[in-house]
């Protein structure tokens, strides 16, 4: 299957969403770290794709997760925020916007260090927005920070592992 074909993206989307809903959505390592593997799909969308399409696909992704996890818009908002900031993150790691257009963010296209920065920024943005919206207050900031950082770390490890496996 060609990696740039729509069928490739549909297959990746389906596999990641099924894994998130059935396995990873029910995991909270030590009560804090939740892996958000589906965010890899949002990260891998081509940079040439219209920002409106990216945010629409991200919103629908979040809406599906909200329906399955009964979270009343938490994932929809977080996915939309992440999709909104995705393009600036790509531009930040590429240093020039004209280079950032038309690529599919990957270790191969960006390099290992820039992709790591891009992945960490994207995953941190998503984790921070999910847990901040869920908490809806800063009543227990220590727990909130621990959830954000641990979920960012575990998700980043999964995303980077998938990326390294798919490069070969």
């Amino acid at each position: 299957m060609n990696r740039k074909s729509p069928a490739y993206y549909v297959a990746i989307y389906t596999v990641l969403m099924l894994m998130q809903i059935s396995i990873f959505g029910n995991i909270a390592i030590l009560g804090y770290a939740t892996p958000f593997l589906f965010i890899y799909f949002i990260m891998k969308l081509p940079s040439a794709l219209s920002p409106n399409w990216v945010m629409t696909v991200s919103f629908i992704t979040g809406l599906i997760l909200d329906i399955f996890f009964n979270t009343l818009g938490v994932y929809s908002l977080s996915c939309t925020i992440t999709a909104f900031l995705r393009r600036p993150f790509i531009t930040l790691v590429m240093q020039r916007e004209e280079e950032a257009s038309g690529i599919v963010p990957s270790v191969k296209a960006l390099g290992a260090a820039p992709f790591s920065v891009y992945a960490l920024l994207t995953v941190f943005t998503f984790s921070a927005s999910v847990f901040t919206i869920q908490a809806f207050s800063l009543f227990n900031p220590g727990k909130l920070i621990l959830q954000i950082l641990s979920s960012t770390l575990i998700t980043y490890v999964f995303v980077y592992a998938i990326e390294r496996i798919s490069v070969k």
Side-chain angles (χ1 to χ4, degrees):
M1 187 177 332
N2 183 5
R3 288 187 180 237
K4 298 199 185 217
S5 72
Y8 171 77
Y9 289 104
V10 169
I12 292 295
Y13 182 82
T14 304
V15 168
L16 291 175
M17 289 297 283
L18 287 174
M19 288 177 65
Q20 185 68 39
I21 291 167
S22 62
I23 300 169
F24 293 111
N26 301 317
I27 293 176
I29 300 168
L30 299 176
Y32 296 105
T34 303
F36 298 115
L37 195 60
F38 71 93
I39 201 75
Y40 182 71
F41 174 76
I42 296 171
M43 291 172 54
K44 292 297 284 186
L45 289 172
S47 63
L49 194 61
S50 163
N52 292 337
W53 276 108
V54 173
M55 287 196 288
T56 302
V57 168
S58 297
F59 175 78
I60 291 169
T61 300
L63 186 62
I64 291 169
L65 292 170
D66 284 331
I67 290 168
F68 278 98
F69 296 133
N70 196 23
T71 52
L72 302 174
V74 172
Y75 287 103
S76 299
L77 180 59
S78 299
C79 285
T80 307
I81 290 169
T82 304
F84 179 75
L85 293 173
R86 179 181 166 273
R87 180 71 176 185
F89 291 159
I90 293 171
T91 305
L92 178 72
V93 299
M94 290 296 292
Q95 300 296 325
R96 291 189 296 195
E97 187 159 346
E98 57 272 359
E99 286 181 5
S101 62
I103 65 161
V104 175
S106 65
V107 170
K108 195 175 196 178
L110 300 175
F115 181 80
S116 293
V117 171
Y118 167 67
L120 278 171
L121 287 172
T122 306
V123 170
F124 177 78
T125 300
F126 180 79
S127 297
S129 59
V130 163
F131 290 117
T132 304
I133 294 166
Q134 281 180 346
F136 202 64
S137 71
L138 298 176
F139 181 71
N140 193 350
K143 180 180 179 185
L144 180 65
I145 291 169
L146 188 59
Q147 284 178 319
I148 292 169
L149 293 179
S150 62
S151 293
T152 299
L153 180 65
I154 192 74
T155 303
Y156 170 75
V157 167
F158 278 118
V159 164
Y160 199 77
I162 290 171
E163 183 63 25
R164 294 307 288 182
I165 290 170
S166 68
V167 168
K168 296 185 181 194

